[in-house]
Amino acid sequence: MFDDVRAFIRNLYPEKDFIALHEPYFAGNEKKYVLDCIDSTYVSSVGKYVDRFEQMMADFTGAKYAIATMNGTAALHVALMLVGVGREDEVITQPLTFVATCNAIAYVGAKPVFVDVDRDTLGMSAQSLKDFLHQHAVLRDGACWNRISGKKISAVLPMHTFGHPCRIDEIAALCEEYKIPLVEDSAESLGSYYKGVHTGRFGKVGVMSFNGNKTITTGGGGIVITDDPVLAKRAKHMTTTSKRPHPYEYVHDEVGYNYRLPNINAALGCAQLESLPLILQNKRELAKKYQVFFLKHEIKFVSEPSNAQSNFWLNAILLADETQRNSFLEETNSHKVMTRPVWKLMNRLEMYKDCFCMPLVNSEWIEERLVNIPSSCFFQSS
Ligand SMILES: *Cc1c(COP(=O)(O)O)cnc(C)c1O
């Protein structure tokens, strides 16, 4: 039934037998920098590549500070601690996300509150957030409280789904109005911009991931970006076991975390960042090819939202209904073309099923129909 789709995808990756959803692309200085690390013996928690990677990330995103971590989930955990999310607090997020978003909220002892997403951006709906705040929020002592649950609302955590920026300026304005810190889960959106500003830069803190399946990879890795020097300093401190600088003494002044990115991972990251413009350009071309193809075949392709420049991390299509989605998944995967449904909504998972939800009409609509299709750079030779 979807023979033509399969043939089209196969044609994009002619040298592949099994076509993965997203493979890393190594064509630059990756081997050179990693070997340099090994030769220097500085493979672990100190070394020049970590500093260099952080500087490159700050330069690329336009953020004043960037603090590398061992993965994106750790970066999210740190970000929520930085803005002061405490136990029993509430953090507003979206149910259509990867589980790490909610897990980070749980790590600090807070609870997710789910507002809906928009159908065009797949990210947090500013309207649903506004409705929630109108119905629940009160300002007291310079903070925002949920007058129904009695809990403090201590962060809003939107996610830029598959690299498509959500309406982040409207969300930022609501956060401003209600005095709630904004943290962006921009794990998927390195190289994505909203109204010309890099995602992750609209709130107090932004977070990115460099896991093996993301736009660029450090093997495992993440980053916290911020313009606030105090938060930046705290982030570095917390992620390095809260050790006070001293020539030889071990003094740790609070419970810290060993969340640093090892130098060998940062070395890989530096090389990957050098290739990022090329990767982004390739992924944009790929998305264009898909868009033209699916338009002809009357399947809805998820295209770039207005006011936004997407990195097109994972391309996605929307099938007519769940039955068609399932046959698409069945047919492509059984023919070694990897496709995946969107994540099961967070409010359906055992550990988050009791969390408060706004009406989730769009999230549910997307959950039934969306499929991710192969999105690796298409010029690679195996
Ligand atoms: C990948 C991802 C993360 C976590 O990143 P890791 O590096 O895998 O820990 C967090 N949130 C979202 C939305 C992601 O896609």
Side-chain angles (χ1 to χ4, degrees):
M1 187 184 170
F2 297 107
D3 301 21
D4 45 353
V5 180
R6 280 193 284 121
F8 180 78
I9 295 174
R10 285 229 160 266
N11 199 38
L12 292 168
Y13 306 98
E15 67 287 329
K16 298 276 179 192
D17 176 39
F18 171 78
I19 301 175
L21 205 58
H22 201 283
E23 285 180 6
Y25 176 68
F26 301 130
N29 288 316
E30 283 84 357
K31 280 185 188 164
K32 184 173 160 214
Y33 295 169
V34 170
L35 279 177
D36 178 42
C37 247
I38 293 170
D39 290 340
S40 75
T41 77
Y42 285 93
V43 295
S44 192
S45 40
V46 286
K48 64 179 184 189
Y49 285 109
V50 175
D51 298 337
R52 190 156 134 198
F53 183 61
E54 290 177 339
Q55 189 56 55
M56 285 176 87
M57 277 302 304
D59 292 344
F60 184 82
T61 58
K64 287 214 178 86
Y65 308 96
I67 302 92
T69 57
M70 60 197 279
N71 57 54
T73 310
L76 274 173
H77 184 193
V78 168
L80 293 178
M81 290 191 282
L82 284 178
V83 301
V85 177
R87 303 199 73 79
E88 305 300 321
D89 288 355
E90 290 178 349
V91 174
I92 305 173
T93 190
Q94 60 200 58
L96 191 94
T97 187
F98 178 57
V99 70
T101 316
C102 293
N103 286 346
I105 297 171
Y107 295 166
V108 292
K111 256 198 168 6
V113 163
F114 297 115
V115 300
D116 205 3
V117 298
D118 285 328
R119 282 194 198 186
D120 58 343
T121 70
L122 312 175
M124 183 181 282
S125 159
Q127 187 59 51
S128 181
L129 173 64
K130 190 175 187 173
D131 292 345
F132 174 80
L133 292 170
H134 277 182
Q135 291 160 22
H136 295 79
V138 279
L139 285 170
R140 202 167 65 227
D141 311 324
C144 186
W145 297 80
N146 182 332
R147 59 184 172 76
I148 295 166
S149 68
K151 309 227 164 148
K152 187 175 170 189
I153 303 171
S154 56
V156 172
L157 182 56
M159 198 276 280
H160 302 289
T161 310
F162 306 136
H164 297 300
C166 63
R167 291 186 169 76
I168 193 65
D169 59 342
E170 291 175 39
I171 292 168
L174 285 164
C175 288
E176 192 77 30
E177 183 185 342
Y178 284 90
K179 311 276 177 240
I180 312 172
L182 170 62
V183 176
E184 285 171 81
D185 184 345
S186 30
E188 304 181 353
S189 63
L190 175 65
S192 300
Y193 298 79
Y194 188 78
K195 295 186 177 168
V197 177
H198 198 284
T199 51
R201 295 209 52 228
F202 288 81
K204 273 185 161 349
V205 189
V207 161
M208 266 160 252
S209 162
F210 312 109
N211 190 38
N213 64 345
K214 295 297 202 303
T215 303
I216 64 160
T217 186
T218 56
I223 207 144
V224 172
I225 59 170
T226 182
D227 285 346
D228 183 328
V230 178
L231 294 188
K233 209 164 165 217
R234 239 183 98 55
K236 195 74 189 168
H237 191 62
M238 281 162 76
T239 53
T240 50
T241 64
S242 300
K243 185 183 177 299
R244 284 233 192 102
H246 192 280
Y248 47 82
E249 296 252 42
Y250 296 105
V251 181
H252 306 265
D253 55 15
E254 62 179 339
V255 175
Y257 297 84
N258 182 12
Y259 277 178
R260 278 173 297 206
L261 182 72
N263 200 44
I264 195 162
N265 298 89
L268 195 52
C270 290
Q272 285 270 276
L273 268 179
E274 290 170 357
S275 300
L276 182 56
L278 188 71
I279 292 171
L280 290 172
Q281 191 195 331
N282 183 277
K283 291 174 74 67
R284 176 163 290 275
E285 279 169 36
L286 176 64
K288 185 81 209 164
K289 283 176 188 285
Y290 272 135
Q291 181 157 33
V292 171
F293 174 82
F294 285 113
L295 193 64
K296 270 198 308 232
H297 290 72
E298 295 183 354
I299 293 176
K300 190 172 168 9
F301 176 73
V302 178
S303 54
E304 197 165 49
S306 50
N307 297 316
Q309 188 179 326
S310 301
N311 64 2
F312 291 101
W313 171 51
L314 283 190
N315 290 295
I317 53 173
L318 292 156
L319 282 314
D321 53 31
E322 198 168 1
T323 313
Q324 201 192 47
R325 181 201 76 158
N326 292 345
S327 43
F328 185 90
L329 286 167
E330 194 55 49
E331 185 178 325
T332 46
N333 283 291
S334 66
H335 286 85
K336 298 199 248 183
V337 174
M338 187 169 166
T339 62
R340 286 290 181 264
V342 76
W343 314 280
K344 186 191 262 294
L345 298 184
M346 291 301 114
N347 56 301
R348 299 190 203 283
L349 301 184
E350 194 54 36
M351 57 284 194
Y352 303 119
K353 69 177 196 298
D354 298 326
C355 297
F356 180 87
C357 297
M358 286 296 279
L360 301 176
V361 184
N362 293 339
S363 303
E364 286 160 8
W365 187 88
I366 293 164
E367 184 190 34
E368 284 173 7
R369 291 166 178 80
L370 190 139
V371 173
N372 286 121
I373 52 180
S375 301
S376 311
C377 288
F378 64 99
F379 46 34
Q380 37 194 357
S381 53
S382 49

